[in-house]
PDB file of all heavy atoms in Angstrom:
ATOM      1  N   ILE A 324     -48.199  19.784  26.293  1.00 94.00           N
ATOM      2  CA  ILE A 324     -48.400  18.330  26.323  1.00 94.00           C
ATOM      3  C   ILE A 324     -47.373  17.625  25.447  1.00 94.00           C
ATOM      4  O   ILE A 324     -46.723  16.657  25.869  1.00 94.00           O
ATOM      5  CB  ILE A 324     -49.836  17.978  25.869  1.00 94.00           C
ATOM      6  CG1 ILE A 324     -50.854  18.484  26.888  1.00 94.00           C
ATOM      7  CG2 ILE A 324     -49.984  16.470  25.669  1.00 94.00           C
ATOM      8  CD1 ILE A 324     -52.294  18.381  26.423  1.00 94.00           C
ATOM      9  N   VAL A 325     -47.207  18.118  24.219  1.00 95.00           N
ATOM     10  CA  VAL A 325     -46.283  17.484  23.276  1.00 95.00           C
ATOM     11  C   VAL A 325     -44.850  17.546  23.792  1.00 95.00           C
ATOM     12  O   VAL A 325     -44.112  16.546  23.769  1.00 95.00           O
ATOM     13  CB  VAL A 325     -46.383  18.146  21.887  1.00 95.00           C
ATOM     14  CG1 VAL A 325     -45.270  17.649  20.966  1.00 95.00           C
ATOM     15  CG2 VAL A 325     -47.750  17.864  21.265  1.00 95.00           C
ATOM     16  N   LYS A 326     -44.432  18.706  24.289  1.00 96.00           N
ATOM     17  CA  LYS A 326     -43.050  18.859  24.772  1.00 96.00           C
ATOM     18  C   LYS A 326     -42.792  18.009  26.014  1.00 96.00           C
ATOM     19  O   LYS A 326     -41.657  17.556  26.231  1.00 96.00           O
ATOM     20  CB  LYS A 326     -42.760  20.329  25.069  1.00 96.00           C
ATOM     21  CG  LYS A 326     -42.595  21.183  23.816  1.00 96.00           C
ATOM     22  CD  LYS A 326     -42.229  22.612  24.173  1.00 96.00           C
ATOM     23  CE  LYS A 326     -41.964  23.443  22.926  1.00 96.00           C
ATOM     24  NZ  LYS A 326     -41.561  24.823  23.257  1.00 96.00           N
ATOM     25  N   SER A 327     -43.814  17.796  26.818  1.00 97.00           N
ATOM     26  CA  SER A 327     -43.653  16.966  28.012  1.00 97.00           C
ATOM     27  C   SER A 327     -43.545  15.492  27.643  1.00 97.00           C
ATOM     28  O   SER A 327     -42.719  14.756  28.188  1.00 97.00           O
ATOM     29  CB  SER A 327     -44.825  17.186  28.969  1.00 97.00           C
ATOM     30  OG  SER A 327     -44.886  18.526  29.406  1.00 97.00           O
ATOM     31  N   ILE A 328     -44.379  15.047  26.706  1.00 97.00           N
ATOM     32  CA  ILE A 328     -44.325  13.650  26.269  1.00 97.00           C
ATOM     33  C   ILE A 328     -43.016  13.363  25.528  1.00 97.00           C
ATOM     34  O   ILE A 328     -42.375  12.322  25.746  1.00 97.00           O
ATOM     35  CB  ILE A 328     -45.535  13.308  25.382  1.00 97.00           C
ATOM     36  CG1 ILE A 328     -46.827  13.361  26.211  1.00 97.00           C
ATOM     37  CG2 ILE A 328     -45.375  11.922  24.760  1.00 97.00           C
ATOM     38  CD1 ILE A 328     -48.090  13.155  25.408  1.00 97.00           C
ATOM     39  N   LEU A 329     -42.598  14.301  24.672  1.00 97.00           N
ATOM     40  CA  LEU A 329     -41.343  14.109  23.940  1.00 97.00           C
ATOM     41  C   LEU A 329     -40.150  14.044  24.889  1.00 97.00           C
ATOM     42  O   LEU A 329     -39.214  13.262  24.667  1.00 97.00           O
ATOM     43  CB  LEU A 329     -41.144  15.231  22.926  1.00 97.00           C
ATOM     44  CG  LEU A 329     -42.047  15.184  21.687  1.00 97.00           C
ATOM     45  CD1 LEU A 329     -41.826  16.425  20.824  1.00 97.00           C
ATOM     46  CD2 LEU A 329     -41.809  13.916  20.874  1.00 97.00           C
ATOM     47  N   ALA A 330     -40.180  14.848  25.936  1.00 97.00           N
ATOM     48  CA  ALA A 330     -39.104  14.789  26.935  1.00 97.00           C
ATOM     49  C   ALA A 330     -39.057  13.400  27.558  1.00 97.00           C
ATOM     50  O   ALA A 330     -37.980  12.807  27.720  1.00 97.00           O
ATOM     51  CB  ALA A 330     -39.325  15.852  28.013  1.00 97.00           C
ATOM     52  N   GLY A 331     -40.230  12.874  27.889  1.00 97.00           N
ATOM     53  CA  GLY A 331     -40.285  11.530  28.450  1.00 97.00           C
ATOM     54  C   GLY A 331     -39.777  10.476  27.482  1.00 97.00           C
ATOM     55  O   GLY A 331     -39.062   9.543  27.872  1.00 97.00           O
ATOM     56  N   MET A 332     -40.107  10.622  26.224  1.00 98.00           N
ATOM     57  CA  MET A 332     -39.665   9.659  25.222  1.00 98.00           C
ATOM     58  C   MET A 332     -38.148   9.655  25.083  1.00 98.00           C
ATOM     59  O   MET A 332     -37.529   8.600  24.907  1.00 98.00           O
ATOM     60  CB  MET A 332     -40.331   9.959  23.880  1.00 98.00           C
ATOM     61  CG  MET A 332     -41.837   9.744  23.901  1.00 98.00           C
ATOM     62  SD  MET A 332     -42.680  10.177  22.359  1.00 98.00           S
ATOM     63  CE  MET A 332     -42.209   8.778  21.339  1.00 98.00           C
ATOM     64  N   LEU A 333     -37.535  10.827  25.184  1.00 97.00           N
ATOM     65  CA  LEU A 333     -36.075  10.901  25.129  1.00 97.00           C
ATOM     66  C   LEU A 333     -35.444  10.216  26.337  1.00 97.00           C
ATOM     67  O   LEU A 333     -34.417   9.533  26.209  1.00 97.00           O
ATOM     68  CB  LEU A 333     -35.628  12.363  25.050  1.00 97.00           C
ATOM     69  CG  LEU A 333     -35.840  13.029  23.689  1.00 97.00           C
ATOM     70  CD1 LEU A 333     -35.692  14.542  23.805  1.00 97.00           C
ATOM     71  CD2 LEU A 333     -34.854  12.478  22.666  1.00 97.00           C
ATOM     72  N   ILE A 334     -36.048  10.385  27.506  1.00 97.00           N
ATOM     73  CA  ILE A 334     -35.555   9.686  28.695  1.00 97.00           C
ATOM     74  C   ILE A 334     -35.735   8.180  28.521  1.00 97.00           C
ATOM     75  O   ILE A 334     -34.885   7.381  28.934  1.00 97.00           O
ATOM     76  CB  ILE A 334     -36.279  10.175  29.962  1.00 97.00           C
ATOM     77  CG1 ILE A 334     -35.990  11.663  30.201  1.00 97.00           C
ATOM     78  CG2 ILE A 334     -35.841   9.353  31.184  1.00 97.00           C
ATOM     79  CD1 ILE A 334     -34.536  12.012  30.412  1.00 97.00           C
ATOM     80  N   GLY A 335     -36.832   7.778  27.877  1.00 97.00           N
ATOM     81  CA  GLY A 335     -37.055   6.364  27.599  1.00 97.00           C
ATOM     82  C   GLY A 335     -35.957   5.773  26.726  1.00 97.00           C
ATOM     83  O   GLY A 335     -35.515   4.638  26.944  1.00 97.00           O
ATOM     84  N   CYS A 336     -35.512   6.535  25.734  1.00 96.00           N
ATOM     85  CA  CYS A 336     -34.394   6.098  24.890  1.00 96.00           C
ATOM     86  C   CYS A 336     -33.121   5.957  25.723  1.00 96.00           C
ATOM     87  O   CYS A 336     -32.327   5.017  25.526  1.00 96.00           O
ATOM     88  CB  CYS A 336     -34.172   7.083  23.751  1.00 96.00           C
ATOM     89  SG  CYS A 336     -35.501   7.103  22.524  1.00 96.00           S
ATOM     90  N   GLY A 337     -32.934   6.888  26.661  1.00 96.00           N
ATOM     91  CA  GLY A 337     -31.776   6.803  27.549  1.00 96.00           C
ATOM     92  C   GLY A 337     -31.832   5.557  28.424  1.00 96.00           C
ATOM     93  O   GLY A 337     -30.811   4.903  28.652  1.00 96.00           O
ATOM     94  N   CYS A 338     -33.019   5.231  28.903  1.00 96.00           N
ATOM     95  CA  CYS A 338     -33.196   4.011  29.708  1.00 96.00           C
ATOM     96  C   CYS A 338     -32.800   2.780  28.907  1.00 96.00           C
ATOM     97  O   CYS A 338     -32.124   1.874  29.411  1.00 96.00           O
ATOM     98  CB  CYS A 338     -34.648   3.885  30.156  1.00 96.00           C
ATOM     99  SG  CYS A 338     -35.187   5.106  31.361  1.00 96.00           S
ATOM    100  N   LEU A 339     -33.228   2.749  27.649  1.00 96.00           N
ATOM    101  CA  LEU A 339     -32.898   1.615  26.792  1.00 96.00           C
ATOM    102  C   LEU A 339     -31.391   1.486  26.619  1.00 96.00           C
ATOM    103  O   LEU A 339     -30.831   0.391  26.746  1.00 96.00           O
ATOM    104  CB  LEU A 339     -33.565   1.780  25.425  1.00 96.00           C
ATOM    105  CG  LEU A 339     -33.234   0.677  24.417  1.00 96.00           C
ATOM    106  CD1 LEU A 339     -33.894  -0.628  24.810  1.00 96.00           C
ATOM    107  CD2 LEU A 339     -33.654   1.080  23.006  1.00 96.00           C
ATOM    108  N   ALA A 340     -30.730   2.604  26.349  1.00 96.00           N
ATOM    109  CA  ALA A 340     -29.281   2.570  26.154  1.00 96.00           C
ATOM    110  C   ALA A 340     -28.579   2.031  27.396  1.00 96.00           C
ATOM    111  O   ALA A 340     -27.673   1.193  27.298  1.00 96.00           O
ATOM    112  CB  ALA A 340     -28.764   3.965  25.818  1.00 96.00           C
ATOM    113  N   TYR A 341     -29.005   2.488  28.556  1.00 96.00           N
ATOM    114  CA  TYR A 341     -28.358   2.060  29.799  1.00 96.00           C
ATOM    115  C   TYR A 341     -28.560   0.570  30.039  1.00 96.00           C
ATOM    116  O   TYR A 341     -27.646  -0.123  30.516  1.00 96.00           O
ATOM    117  CB  TYR A 341     -28.904   2.854  30.979  1.00 96.00           C
ATOM    118  CG  TYR A 341     -28.248   2.482  32.284  1.00 96.00           C
ATOM    119  CD1 TYR A 341     -26.915   2.807  32.531  1.00 96.00           C
ATOM    120  CD2 TYR A 341     -28.945   1.781  33.255  1.00 96.00           C
ATOM    121  CE1 TYR A 341     -26.300   2.452  33.716  1.00 96.00           C
ATOM    122  CE2 TYR A 341     -28.340   1.423  34.445  1.00 96.00           C
ATOM    123  CZ  TYR A 341     -27.019   1.750  34.672  1.00 96.00           C
ATOM    124  OH  TYR A 341     -26.414   1.385  35.843  1.00 96.00           O
ATOM    125  N   VAL A 342     -29.744   0.054  29.723  1.00 97.00           N
ATOM    126  CA  VAL A 342     -30.046  -1.355  29.972  1.00 97.00           C
ATOM    127  C   VAL A 342     -29.369  -2.259  28.942  1.00 97.00           C
ATOM    128  O   VAL A 342     -28.824  -3.312  29.291  1.00 97.00           O
ATOM    129  CB  VAL A 342     -31.576  -1.593  29.962  1.00 97.00           C
ATOM    130  CG1 VAL A 342     -31.902  -3.082  29.979  1.00 97.00           C
ATOM    131  CG2 VAL A 342     -32.224  -0.898  31.153  1.00 97.00           C
ATOM    132  N   VAL A 343     -29.397  -1.878  27.684  1.00 96.00           N
ATOM    133  CA  VAL A 343     -28.904  -2.734  26.605  1.00 96.00           C
ATOM    134  C   VAL A 343     -27.383  -2.792  26.570  1.00 96.00           C
ATOM    135  O   VAL A 343     -26.792  -3.853  26.327  1.00 96.00           O
ATOM    136  CB  VAL A 343     -29.448  -2.240  25.244  1.00 96.00           C
ATOM    137  CG1 VAL A 343     -28.744  -2.939  24.086  1.00 96.00           C
ATOM    138  CG2 VAL A 343     -30.948  -2.487  25.165  1.00 96.00           C
ATOM    139  N   ILE A 344     -26.731  -1.650  26.815  1.00 96.00           N
ATOM    140  CA  ILE A 344     -25.269  -1.594  26.700  1.00 96.00           C
ATOM    141  C   ILE A 344     -24.631  -2.188  27.947  1.00 96.00           C
ATOM    142  O   ILE A 344     -24.902  -1.749  29.075  1.00 96.00           O
ATOM    143  CB  ILE A 344     -24.805  -0.144  26.483  1.00 96.00           C
ATOM    144  CG1 ILE A 344     -25.368   0.382  25.158  1.00 96.00           C
ATOM    145  CG2 ILE A 344     -23.283  -0.056  26.484  1.00 96.00           C
ATOM    146  CD1 ILE A 344     -25.168   1.858  24.937  1.00 96.00           C
ATOM    147  N   GLU A 345     -23.793  -3.175  27.758  1.00 94.00           N
ATOM    148  CA  GLU A 345     -23.200  -3.894  28.887  1.00 94.00           C
ATOM    149  C   GLU A 345     -22.274  -3.004  29.709  1.00 94.00           C
ATOM    150  O   GLU A 345     -22.245  -3.088  30.942  1.00 94.00           O
ATOM    151  CB  GLU A 345     -22.434  -5.121  28.373  1.00 94.00           C
ATOM    152  CG  GLU A 345     -21.924  -6.020  29.478  1.00 94.00           C
ATOM    153  CD  GLU A 345     -21.293  -7.298  28.937  1.00 94.00           C
ATOM    154  OE1 GLU A 345     -21.400  -7.538  27.722  1.00 94.00           O
ATOM    155  OE2 GLU A 345     -20.694  -8.033  29.741  1.00 94.00           O
ATOM    156  N   ASN A 346     -21.505  -2.169  29.042  1.00 96.00           N
ATOM    157  CA  ASN A 346     -20.602  -1.252  29.748  1.00 96.00           C
ATOM    158  C   ASN A 346     -21.422  -0.081  30.287  1.00 96.00           C
ATOM    159  O   ASN A 346     -21.906   0.753  29.525  1.00 96.00           O
ATOM    160  CB  ASN A 346     -19.519  -0.743  28.794  1.00 96.00           C
ATOM    161  CG  ASN A 346     -18.464   0.088  29.490  1.00 96.00           C
ATOM    162  OD1 ASN A 346     -18.770   0.984  30.264  1.00 96.00           O
ATOM    163  ND2 ASN A 346     -17.202  -0.196  29.194  1.00 96.00           N
ATOM    164  N   LYS A 347     -21.584  -0.022  31.605  1.00 93.00           N
ATOM    165  CA  LYS A 347     -22.466   0.972  32.209  1.00 93.00           C
ATOM    166  C   LYS A 347     -21.914   2.388  32.120  1.00 93.00           C
ATOM    167  O   LYS A 347     -22.673   3.362  32.211  1.00 93.00           O
ATOM    168  CB  LYS A 347     -22.771   0.609  33.667  1.00 93.00           C
ATOM    169  CG  LYS A 347     -23.550  -0.701  33.789  1.00 93.00           C
ATOM    170  CD  LYS A 347     -24.777  -0.708  32.884  1.00 93.00           C
ATOM    171  CE  LYS A 347     -25.510  -2.018  32.862  1.00 93.00           C
ATOM    172  NZ  LYS A 347     -26.596  -2.061  31.846  1.00 93.00           N
ATOM    173  N   TYR A 348     -20.603   2.533  31.949  1.00 96.00           N
ATOM    174  CA  TYR A 348     -20.027   3.866  31.762  1.00 96.00           C
ATOM    175  C   TYR A 348     -20.471   4.427  30.410  1.00 96.00           C
ATOM    176  O   TYR A 348     -20.847   5.596  30.298  1.00 96.00           O
ATOM    177  CB  TYR A 348     -18.502   3.816  31.850  1.00 96.00           C
ATOM    178  CG  TYR A 348     -18.003   3.448  33.225  1.00 96.00           C
ATOM    179  CD1 TYR A 348     -17.641   2.139  33.527  1.00 96.00           C
ATOM    180  CD2 TYR A 348     -17.919   4.410  34.231  1.00 96.00           C
ATOM    181  CE1 TYR A 348     -17.199   1.793  34.799  1.00 96.00           C
ATOM    182  CE2 TYR A 348     -17.473   4.078  35.505  1.00 96.00           C
ATOM    183  CZ  TYR A 348     -17.124   2.764  35.780  1.00 96.00           C
ATOM    184  OH  TYR A 348     -16.709   2.427  37.042  1.00 96.00           O
ATOM    185  N   ILE A 349     -20.448   3.574  29.397  1.00 96.00           N
ATOM    186  CA  ILE A 349     -20.904   4.009  28.074  1.00 96.00           C
ATOM    187  C   ILE A 349     -22.415   4.218  28.089  1.00 96.00           C
ATOM    188  O   ILE A 349     -22.931   5.195  27.536  1.00 96.00           O
ATOM    189  CB  ILE A 349     -20.516   2.975  26.991  1.00 96.00           C
ATOM    190  CG1 ILE A 349     -18.997   2.870  26.896  1.00 96.00           C
ATOM    191  CG2 ILE A 349     -21.124   3.358  25.634  1.00 96.00           C
ATOM    192  CD1 ILE A 349     -18.507   1.801  25.934  1.00 96.00           C
ATOM    193  N   GLY A 350     -23.133   3.317  28.755  1.00 95.00           N
ATOM    194  CA  GLY A 350     -24.584   3.436  28.838  1.00 95.00           C
ATOM    195  C   GLY A 350     -25.023   4.723  29.514  1.00 95.00           C
ATOM    196  O   GLY A 350     -25.934   5.411  29.035  1.00 95.00           O
ATOM    197  N   SER A 351     -24.370   5.071  30.616  1.00 95.00           N
ATOM    198  CA  SER A 351     -24.729   6.305  31.318  1.00 95.00           C
ATOM    199  C   SER A 351     -24.317   7.538  30.525  1.00 95.00           C
ATOM    200  O   SER A 351     -24.992   8.572  30.564  1.00 95.00           O
ATOM    201  CB  SER A 351     -24.079   6.330  32.714  1.00 95.00           C
ATOM    202  OG  SER A 351     -22.665   6.251  32.618  1.00 95.00           O
ATOM    203  N   PHE A 352     -23.210   7.417  29.787  1.00 96.00           N
ATOM    204  CA  PHE A 352     -22.773   8.518  28.920  1.00 96.00           C
ATOM    205  C   PHE A 352     -23.826   8.793  27.842  1.00 96.00           C
ATOM    206  O   PHE A 352     -24.214   9.948  27.602  1.00 96.00           O
ATOM    207  CB  PHE A 352     -21.431   8.174  28.282  1.00 96.00           C
ATOM    208  CG  PHE A 352     -20.950   9.178  27.276  1.00 96.00           C
ATOM    209  CD1 PHE A 352     -20.317  10.344  27.674  1.00 96.00           C
ATOM    210  CD2 PHE A 352     -21.127   8.951  25.913  1.00 96.00           C
ATOM    211  CE1 PHE A 352     -19.878  11.279  26.740  1.00 96.00           C
ATOM    212  CE2 PHE A 352     -20.690   9.872  24.977  1.00 96.00           C
ATOM    213  CZ  PHE A 352     -20.063  11.041  25.388  1.00 96.00           C
ATOM    214  N   LEU A 353     -24.317   7.742  27.206  1.00 95.00           N
ATOM    215  CA  LEU A 353     -25.313   7.909  26.149  1.00 95.00           C
ATOM    216  C   LEU A 353     -26.668   8.337  26.717  1.00 95.00           C
ATOM    217  O   LEU A 353     -27.441   9.007  26.028  1.00 95.00           O
ATOM    218  CB  LEU A 353     -25.449   6.610  25.357  1.00 95.00           C
ATOM    219  CG  LEU A 353     -24.223   6.231  24.525  1.00 95.00           C
ATOM    220  CD1 LEU A 353     -24.436   4.897  23.829  1.00 95.00           C
ATOM    221  CD2 LEU A 353     -23.898   7.317  23.507  1.00 95.00           C
ATOM    222  N   PHE A 354     -26.948   7.961  27.946  1.00 95.00           N
ATOM    223  CA  PHE A 354     -28.190   8.394  28.587  1.00 95.00           C
ATOM    224  C   PHE A 354     -28.273   9.918  28.608  1.00 95.00           C
ATOM    225  O   PHE A 354     -29.351  10.498  28.467  1.00 95.00           O
ATOM    226  CB  PHE A 354     -28.253   7.843  30.017  1.00 95.00           C
ATOM    227  CG  PHE A 354     -29.562   8.075  30.722  1.00 95.00           C
ATOM    228  CD1 PHE A 354     -30.481   7.050  30.848  1.00 95.00           C
ATOM    229  CD2 PHE A 354     -29.885   9.315  31.270  1.00 95.00           C
ATOM    230  CE1 PHE A 354     -31.694   7.246  31.499  1.00 95.00           C
ATOM    231  CE2 PHE A 354     -31.083   9.527  31.910  1.00 95.00           C
ATOM    232  CZ  PHE A 354     -31.997   8.496  32.023  1.00 95.00           C
ATOM    233  N   SER A 355     -27.130  10.563  28.787  1.00 94.00           N
ATOM    234  CA  SER A 355     -27.105  12.025  28.894  1.00 94.00           C
ATOM    235  C   SER A 355     -27.532  12.722  27.607  1.00 94.00           C
ATOM    236  O   SER A 355     -27.911  13.890  27.629  1.00 94.00           O
ATOM    237  CB  SER A 355     -25.714  12.510  29.308  1.00 94.00           C
ATOM    238  OG  SER A 355     -24.758  12.202  28.306  1.00 94.00           O
TER     239      SER A 355
END
């Protein structure tokens, strides 16, 4: 349960980076 939720939380951080950063190349890079 913990490892599954933490995985989701990391993807959530990636979503934030992609949305907040105007340059989508940098945003997608940080999403990884």
Side-chain angles (χ1 to χ4, degrees):
I324 293 171
V325 171
K326 287 183 176 182
S327 298
I328 293 175
L329 287 175
M332 294 177 75
L333 285 166
I334 297 299
C336 292
C338 291
L339 177 71
Y341 182 69
V342 170
V343 169
I344 297 171
E345 187 174 352
N346 186 312
K347 296 309 174 187
Y348 294 97
I349 297 176
S351 59
F352 175 81
L353 292 177
F354 187 102
S355 64

